[in-house]
């Protein structure tokens, strides 16, 4: 089984355990292939945490879950130095104890519940891929992916992420309610899992048959880097981003909805995710359809909407739809 087949098998396995959230699963796979981080937004109970756990279950490495709360400190994330009372040498008196951020798959649950200090500590690690404590720099693992969740309602006592920090996430994925048919399947799946758990309490834990090593992921990165992007597709990506900076060239309504355009980081994200989508589909070149499919997840948290957009109940996805309709591939 080659690397692409393994990733497709991972996607199929996750879809069996996270029912009715095919787009969520595909975006998590794409982010893994792009070495990027994901912000998951949705109401409680929509399988955000389950999807992350299911992804981590099939990947060799350490999975860490951090529950963000208002009393969390930055050192609770990054780690701290511990005093060694019995140390014989002065330089050994303090030993660094790594925090939960030193893992491969990091679930940052309800990231907007923690203060700005804690958020910045995590986001610095996401961007720089290392942690600095007491003047010493400690590198994070090569495979390092943060999947943060946030609740769009009940915002009392929360610290929303500012735009500059939102931009650190490769994608923002909206998790919505499942259909009635899928919700019935979810109920049947959970019931079957509970029955299996009670029957196998005294048995050895089962191991997954599908395991993707960190070497496999590194090889995928190398293969995706060689996916061809034609100059016309490059121009299409640039035009999409450019129109957010000059929204009056799209339409008067679009111009009234956009307060701030997208930075070059959005351009690079569209390119990376487009190549990952083409690779997953078994193609060696990116098509405009790949960019159109990935655009909402890549751009929705990077567009800064105006007060007029809020007054007209225009969502980022609706604005992106207007953009995609106006810019010709």
């Amino acid at each position: 089984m080659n690397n692409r087949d393994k990733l497709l098998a991972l996607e199929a396995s996750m879809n069996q355990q996270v029912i009715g959230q095919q787009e969520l699963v595909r975006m998590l796979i794409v982010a893994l292939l792009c070495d990027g981080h994901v912000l998951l937004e949705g109401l409680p109970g929509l399988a955000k945490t389950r999807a992350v756990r299911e992804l981590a279950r099939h990947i060799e490495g350490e999975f860490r879950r951090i529950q963000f709360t208002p009393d969390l400190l930055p050192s609770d994330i990054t780690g701290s130095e511990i005093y060694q009372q019995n140390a014989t040498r002065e330089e050994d008196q303090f030993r660094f104890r790594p925090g939960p951020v030193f893992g491969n798959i990091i679930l940052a649950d309800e990231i907007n519940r923690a203060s700005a200090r804690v958020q910045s500590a995590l986001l610095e690690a996401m961007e720089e891929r290392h942690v600095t404590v007491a003047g010493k720099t400690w590198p994070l693992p090569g495979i390092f992916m943060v999947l943060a969740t946030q609740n769009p309602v009940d915002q009392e006592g929360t610290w929303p992420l500012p735009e500059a920090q939102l931009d650190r996430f490769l994608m923002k994925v909206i998790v919505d309610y499942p259909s009635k048919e899928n919700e019935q399947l979810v109920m049947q799946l959970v019931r079957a899992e509970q029955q299996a758990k009670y029957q196998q309490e005294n048995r050895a834990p089962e191991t997954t048959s599908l395991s993707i090593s960190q070497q496999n992921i590194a090889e995928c990165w190398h293969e995706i880097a060689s996916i061809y992007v034609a100059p016309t597709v490059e121009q299409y990506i640039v035009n999409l981003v450019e129109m957010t900076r000059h929204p009056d060239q799209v339409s008067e309504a679009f111009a009234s909805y956009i307060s701030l355009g997208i930075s070059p980081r959005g351009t690079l994200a569209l390119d990376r995710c487009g190549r990952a989508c083409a690779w997953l589909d078994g193609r060696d070149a990116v098509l405009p359809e790949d960019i159109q499919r990935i655009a909402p997840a890549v751009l929705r948290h990077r567009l800064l909407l105006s007060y007029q957009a809020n007054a007209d109940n225009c969502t980022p996805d609706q604005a992106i739809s207007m953009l995609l309709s106006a810019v010709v591939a």
Side-chain angles (χ1 to χ4, degrees):
M1 183 182 294
N2 59 32
N3 291 326
R4 176 175 169 271
D5 291 338
K6 287 185 177 181
L7 268 296
L8 292 176
L10 170 61
E11 182 179 16
S13 176
M14 290 180 65
N15 280 325
Q16 292 177 356
Q17 299 298 318
V18 187
I19 297 173
Q21 301 290 356
Q22 288 84 0
E23 190 65 15
L24 165 63
V25 170
R26 171 54 70 103
M27 293 302 107
L28 292 181
I29 299 293
V30 169
L32 176 66
L33 294 173
C34 293
D35 190 22
H37 312 291
V38 182
L39 179 63
L40 305 174
E41 184 176 288
L43 297 172
L46 294 181
K48 300 186 298 295
T49 300
R50 182 185 178 93
V52 175
R53 287 186 179 276
E54 191 63 24
L55 174 68
R57 190 170 71 91
H58 295 285
I59 296 176
E60 293 182 2
E62 292 192 41
F63 169 66
R64 303 287 180 84
R65 180 182 183 273
I66 308 172
Q67 180 63 55
F68 280 64
T69 56
D71 60 346
L72 206 65
L73 298 175
S75 58
D76 296 329
I77 303 292
T78 62
S80 58
E81 287 195 327
I82 305 300
Y83 177 67
Q84 305 292 309
Q85 185 175 4
N86 299 324
T88 56
R89 299 188 304 172
E90 183 178 353
E91 55 268 27
D92 295 335
Q93 288 182 349
F94 290 91
R95 179 175 62 86
F96 177 66
R97 183 179 65 182
V101 76
F102 285 85
N104 301 110
I105 306 293
I106 310 297
L107 171 59
D109 219 352
E110 294 189 291
I111 188 173
N112 54 337
R113 294 290 178 188
S115 67
R117 291 177 58 199
V118 179
Q119 292 175 2
S120 63
L122 176 66
L123 293 167
E124 179 184 5
M126 290 165 51
E127 182 70 15
E128 306 298 334
R129 302 300 178 102
H130 63 70
V131 167
T132 301
V133 177
K136 295 182 180 179
T137 299
W138 305 89
L140 293 168
I143 305 295
F144 177 69
M145 182 181 184
V146 173
L147 300 114
T149 70
Q150 67 177 12
N151 185 353
V153 298
D154 189 20
Q155 295 295 320
E156 184 178 354
T158 65
W159 287 265
L161 293 173
E163 285 72 19
Q165 294 182 354
L166 284 172
D167 202 36
R168 305 288 179 89
F169 288 94
L170 179 71
M171 294 188 293
K172 177 181 178 180
V173 180
I174 303 298
V175 187
D176 205 350
Y177 292 114
S179 64
K180 291 193 300 182
E181 295 77 12
N182 285 328
E183 191 153 4
Q184 185 175 356
L185 293 175
V186 168
M187 184 168 53
Q188 296 170 359
L189 173 64
V190 173
R191 185 190 302 128
E193 288 178 345
Q194 291 175 344
Q195 293 174 349
K197 175 183 176 181
Y198 297 146
Q199 294 172 358
Q200 300 179 4
E201 282 183 344
N202 298 324
R203 299 183 185 180
E206 296 183 1
T207 57
T208 176
S209 59
L210 175 63
S211 181
I212 299 175
S213 68
Q214 297 188 26
Q215 178 63 31
N216 292 143
I217 298 174
E219 291 172 356
C220 292
W221 292 348
H222 180 72
E223 294 173 12
I224 291 171
S226 63
I227 295 295
Y228 177 69
V229 184
T232 53
V233 177
E234 291 179 344
Q235 191 62 48
Y236 178 56
I237 295 173
V238 172
N239 288 341
L240 284 174
V241 174
E242 182 70 13
M243 288 301 100
T244 66
R245 303 168 189 170
H246 303 283
D248 55 303
Q249 299 181 17
V250 176
S251 68
E252 184 178 347
F254 186 74
S256 66
Y257 291 158
I258 303 302
S259 178
L260 190 65
I262 296 168
S263 71
R265 188 177 282 159
T267 307
L268 300 176
L270 284 173
D271 173 64
R272 290 164 60 192
C273 294
R275 284 186 277 118
C277 285
W279 183 83
L280 279 173
D281 288 342
R283 287 181 276 105
D284 58 1
V286 179
L287 299 177
E289 290 78 6
D290 298 320
I291 306 303
Q292 293 164 359
R293 177 174 184 180
I294 207 71
V298 172
L299 302 182
R300 63 166 57 102
H301 59 299
R302 293 184 164 95
L303 272 181
L304 184 60
L305 299 184
S306 65
Y307 290 109
Q308 184 63 44
N310 294 329
D312 292 347
N313 294 321
C314 177
T315 65
D317 284 17
Q318 291 171 337
I320 293 169
S321 179
M322 296 170 64
L323 175 67
L324 293 174
S325 300
V327 180
V328 179

